[in-house]
Amino acid sequence: EGVVGMISNHALRLVTNNTPRLTVEGGGNVKVHEHLFMGRSNDPKIYTGSGVGLQILGEHLYLNQSNDKNVVMVQGGGKVGVGVIPSAKLTVDSGDIQLQSSASTNAVVQSLNFKNTNSSGYDVARIQGVTGANIWMGQLRFLTKDAGGTMATRLTIESGGDVAIGSTTAYGHKLWVAGNTYIDCPGGATNGLQVRNTSASTSARTI
């Protein structure tokens, strides 16, 4: 076989116009001094072991596209920015964030989970996007974990805008509260819960 390189522990450099362009160091590291261009404009790839580590397809950059591996940033407390230099752990500029999956009726589409990593780690709260009686209907459920360790739905906003507290359904009412309700209205008899028939010109009644 043919060999091009250095037998001794010295770097091998490729030079054009009296300027180093690529260096293979004695320890095996490769340094590109300018830009790295991939000749396959339609589907350039960098392979890492058994799968594709990096792939540039058109204007898109994929990491581990062809295998089921996770992409994790763990060193240096790195931040991720989409369309902007990040100012937080994740910064998205001028665009929506979409959580999606295929779900049937009355099923959870996706969840936003809040976890306390202290000790062994605990899920403490969750926001769920849920389908309704039809797959195009949607509702939001807000869950929290109580002192006994039970994660349960505490508030639900149904597809039509009805709100249920302590329940997953408002039973056709604009507001449904499952449990005792206390309203504290200091300041005199004029403050309180007001009830009014909007179809008549009557004044609101204060309870």
Side-chain angles (χ1 to χ4, degrees):
E1 60 180 4
V3 177
V4 176
M6 304 293 293
I7 298 177
S8 59
N9 188 24
H10 292 85
L12 173 66
R13 292 186 176 90
L14 297 181
V15 179
T16 62
N17 197 25
N18 202 31
T19 303
R21 305 301 184 183
L22 185 144
T23 300
V24 181
E25 297 178 343
N29 295 329
V30 179
K31 180 179 180 180
V32 179
H33 295 269
E34 294 293 335
H35 302 287
L36 175 63
F37 293 92
M38 299 181 184
R40 291 184 59 187
S41 59
N42 60 331
D43 188 15
K45 301 175 182 178
I46 296 178
Y47 288 88
T48 57
S50 59
V52 179
L54 183 148
Q55 179 180 8
I56 302 173
L57 187 59
E59 296 180 351
H60 303 287
L61 174 65
Y62 298 93
L63 299 177
N64 290 315
Q65 182 190 13
S66 298
N67 49 39
D68 189 19
K69 302 295 183 181
N70 295 322
V71 179
V72 182
M73 296 183 63
V74 295
Q75 292 183 335
K79 301 175 182 178
V80 177
V82 180
V84 68
I85 297 176
S87 57
K89 282 291 185 182
L90 173 63
T91 305
V92 180
D93 182 66
S94 301
D96 298 327
I97 298 175
Q98 181 166 299
L99 304 177
Q100 66 181 39
S101 70
S102 178
S104 58
T105 58
N106 299 308
V108 176
V109 178
Q110 283 286 12
S111 300
L112 180 62
N113 202 54
F114 298 87
K115 183 171 185 176
N116 179 10
T117 57
N118 191 6
S119 185
S120 58
Y122 302 94
D123 294 335
V124 298
R126 186 175 300 143
I127 301 174
Q128 293 179 336
V130 184
T131 59
N134 296 299
I135 59 174
W136 58 84
M137 298 172 64
Q139 55 182 296
L140 283 177
R141 294 180 184 175
F142 297 81
L143 297 82
T144 59
K145 183 175 288 185
D146 61 20
T150 300
M151 180 78 74
T153 300
R154 313 301 178 182
L155 186 145
T156 302
I157 303 176
E158 294 188 328
S159 59
D162 297 344
V163 176
I165 299 177
S167 173
T168 57
T169 178
Y171 299 98
H173 301 283
K174 281 299 180 185
L175 176 63
W176 177 273
V177 180
N180 297 330
T181 303
Y182 177 80
I183 301 176
D184 186 7
C185 301
T190 57
N191 296 328
L193 180 63
Q194 293 190 336
V195 180
R196 180 182 178 184
N197 182 0
T198 58
S199 63
S201 60
T202 56
S203 300
R205 293 176 180 243
T206 301
I207 300 176

